[in-house]
Amino acid sequence: MIDLRFPTALQIVLGIQIAEEDGVRCTSQKLADSLGVNASFVRKLLVPLSRDGIVAASQGKGGGVRLARKPETITLRDIYLTVTDEKKLWVARSDVPCQCVASANIVQFFERLAGEAEGLVLQMLANRTVADSVSEIRKLEMARLSGYVVSRTARNG
Amino acid sequence: MIDLRFPTALQIVLGIQIAEEDGVRCTSQKLADSLGVNASFVRKLLVPLSRDGIVAASQGKGGGVRLARKPETITLRDIYLTVTDEKKLWVARSDVPCQCVASANIVQFFERLAGEAEGLVLQMLANRTVADSVSEIRKLEMARLSGYVVSRTARNG
DNA sequence: TTGAATGCAATAGTCATGGATACATTACGG
DNA sequence: CCGTAATGTATCCATGACTATTGCATTCAA
């Protein structure tokens, strides 16, 4: 199984913020529909997001999900770490016999390498907030709309 | 299942070079033993490595595996790409309904993000050659040895 | 009180990956 | 030539992380 937790969680959080800006109440069912997944899966991802203070859910009729903090203060790194839960980007073999001199050192070497890779990725994610991302998505929307107009004009002209 | 192909392939390639430097003939069985894995798995990984001109295997009695190029010309990026075979670091959900305006753009946004992350990691891997890595492992070995001496001295003194 | 929502547990399904085995092929060396 | 030792390759099974589904308890506003 391919791990879809990060992309899904990201879509959830961004969707919550977009709904907020559009003045629409957001429920796990609506999120699930927009993602094409089960509402239970959405709620499963909401557990760690809620625990870490990224989203806040209110129960009962008229309830729903909203961001627990300002979107400017939530980075994609927060979401990633919350949802993937200790899972490393790469993991070294754990059961190498280490009979020859090299084996043990190769393992250590790889762990350093994996740590460096993960650090790079996390830093990249830390530089992007939910607010940034949503505004970037809005820009994509604009570009898409104008792209449609252009191509239609081109086709008609 | 955790994907261990890259760490395993890396240990294979580095092990081949280390054996070469030490004047030892390297076979898939020896590699498998030193990794604690099945020889079949080693050979499975050797297929793409051989196809892409990273290692070269000679059949028959007295045969074995060696590097197909100078270790200075093989980067860890080469090994990674060869072995993981089109598998992305992150993959977006493929089946989002895209009914609302945001969905399609979020997917595109995530694909860009994933591409950027993968680019960072690949660039980091491209900056390290097999020769670099082996010499770094040699240094780790030195450090480990001197570390042992220090701790033994400390315990005795 | 009722309906709409989250919270949560249990269970089954999926599927990429690793492990194991067998056997064909190749090539060296006597 | 023939035996040995190695790669090349195919097949099948085991494993385990992740997804999907269902059901039900809980909460809370109207």
Side-chain angles (χ1 to χ4, degrees):
Chain A
M1 272 298 179
I2 301 174
D3 194 340
L4 297 172
R5 286 177 296 173
F6 178 50
T8 310
L10 185 56
Q11 289 188 41
I12 287 173
V13 173
L14 296 180
I16 290 172
Q17 173 60 15
I18 288 173
E20 169 79 21
E21 292 180 3
D22 294 351
V24 182
R25 187 168 62 97
C26 198
T27 68
S28 60
Q29 187 60 57
K30 286 184 187 172
L31 286 169
D33 290 343
S34 78
L35 285 166
V37 303
N38 200 281
S40 171
F41 185 41
V42 171
R43 287 203 275 265
K44 229 176 265 183
L45 288 173
L46 286 176
V47 169
L49 290 170
S50 176
R51 180 199 62 205
D52 290 355
I54 294 175
V55 307
S58 52
Q59 287 184 329
K61 190 169 182 176
V65 194
R66 56 186 174 76
L67 295 190
R69 311 201 299 259
K70 296 280 183 193
E72 294 84 9
T73 68
I74 303 174
T75 69
L76 304 195
R77 179 179 182 275
D78 298 332
I79 299 171
Y80 178 82
L81 289 178
T82 285
V83 151
T84 56
D85 186 47
E86 299 294 321
K87 181 182 177 182
K88 298 290 185 226
L89 200 62
W90 294 331
V91 51
R93 300 199 68 91
S94 58
D95 48 358
V96 286
C98 295
Q99 46 191 0
C100 70
V101 233
S103 295
N105 297 309
I106 293 184
V107 168
Q108 188 180 351
F109 170 78
F110 182 79
E111 281 168 355
R112 286 190 187 182
L113 193 75
E116 188 171 339
E118 188 149 335
L120 282 173
V121 169
L122 288 178
Q123 186 178 348
M124 187 269 284
L125 292 178
N127 285 333
R128 294 162 178 265
T129 69
V130 169
D132 296 337
S133 304
V134 168
S135 75
E136 191 168 337
I137 286 166
R138 301 284 194 196
K139 280 182 198 161
L140 282 177
E141 192 177 324
M142 301 292 182
R144 176 166 302 207
L145 287 176
S146 64
Y148 281 157
V149 171
V150 166
S151 60
R152 199 168 50 196
T153 306
R155 205 179 303 140
N156 291 345
Chain B
M1 273 298 178
I2 302 175
D3 194 340
L4 297 172
R5 285 177 297 173
F6 178 49
T8 310
L10 184 56
Q11 289 188 41
I12 286 174
V13 173
L14 297 180
I16 290 173
Q17 172 61 16
I18 289 174
E20 169 80 21
E21 292 179 4
D22 293 351
V24 182
R25 188 168 61 97
C26 199
T27 69
S28 62
Q29 186 60 56
K30 286 183 186 173
L31 287 168
D33 290 343
S34 77
L35 286 165
V37 303
N38 199 283
S40 169
F41 184 40
V42 171
R43 288 204 276 265
K44 233 179 259 182
L45 288 173
L46 286 176
V47 169
L49 289 171
S50 175
R51 179 199 61 207
D52 291 355
I54 294 175
V55 307
S58 51
Q59 286 185 331
K61 192 171 182 176
V65 194
R66 56 188 173 77
L67 296 189
R69 310 200 301 259
K70 296 280 183 193
E72 295 84 10
T73 69
I74 303 174
T75 70
L76 304 194
R77 178 179 184 274
D78 298 332
I79 299 171
Y80 178 83
L81 290 178
T82 284
V83 151
T84 55
D85 188 44
E86 300 293 320
K87 182 181 177 183
K88 297 290 184 226
L89 201 61
W90 295 331
V91 51
R93 301 199 68 92
S94 59
D95 48 0
V96 286
C98 295
Q99 47 191 359
C100 70
V101 234
S103 294
N105 298 309
I106 294 184
V107 169
Q108 189 180 350
F109 171 78
F110 182 80
E111 282 168 354
R112 284 190 188 182
L113 194 74
E116 188 171 338
E118 188 149 335
L120 282 174
V121 169
L122 288 179
Q123 186 177 350
M124 187 270 283
L125 292 179
N127 285 333
R128 294 163 179 263
T129 67
V130 169
D132 295 337
S133 305
V134 167
S135 75
E136 191 169 337
I137 287 165
R138 300 286 193 194
K139 280 181 199 162
L140 283 177
E141 192 177 323
M142 301 293 183
R144 175 166 301 207
L145 287 176
S146 64
Y148 281 158
V149 171
V150 166
S151 59
R152 198 168 52 196
T153 304
R155 205 179 303 142
N156 290 345

